[in-house]
Amino acid sequence: MRKRFMLILMATLLFTIAPIIEASAATPNEIVTLGKKQLGVRYLWGGTTTSGFDCSGFTGYVFKQAGINLNRTAASQYSHGT
């Protein structure tokens, strides 16, 4: 269930911020691969590191690894794209 949720979350964000990804060097597949490497990291409310992530902390971390800076909260990440 957790793996499925994370994959759905990543796919949703990829579609939401596609214009930002196009401006970066990372491809959507590379970003998904970076996200999959974090499977198994525990959930931690407010977490933004590999010690524990919340949903927006996870996406912010993964996209930062790909050279894309996102806002901190899920709401601001959502409004970041088109």
Side-chain angles (χ1 to χ4, degrees):
M1 177 79 174
R2 180 181 257 169
K3 290 181 184 179
R4 187 175 183 189
F5 171 75
M6 295 307 260
L7 291 175
I8 291 170
L9 178 64
M10 287 298 296
T12 302
L13 281 170
L14 285 173
F15 288 114
T16 302
I17 61 171
I20 299 167
I21 293 171
E22 291 174 8
S24 78
T27 67
N29 287 337
E30 290 169 335
I31 293 171
V32 169
T33 299
L34 289 167
K36 285 181 177 180
K37 289 180 181 178
Q38 303 309 318
L39 289 175
V41 173
R42 70 185 185 104
Y43 179 87
L44 177 65
W45 186 77
T48 59
T49 69
T50 55
S51 296
F53 296 116
D54 65 7
C55 59
S56 58
F58 169 74
T59 54
Y61 178 86
V62 170
F63 279 84
K64 187 171 185 175
Q65 299 302 306
I68 301 167
N69 290 318
L70 295 179
N71 297 326
R72 171 60 187 101
T73 66
S76 61
Q77 288 179 2
Y78 175 79
S79 65
H80 194 86
T82 56

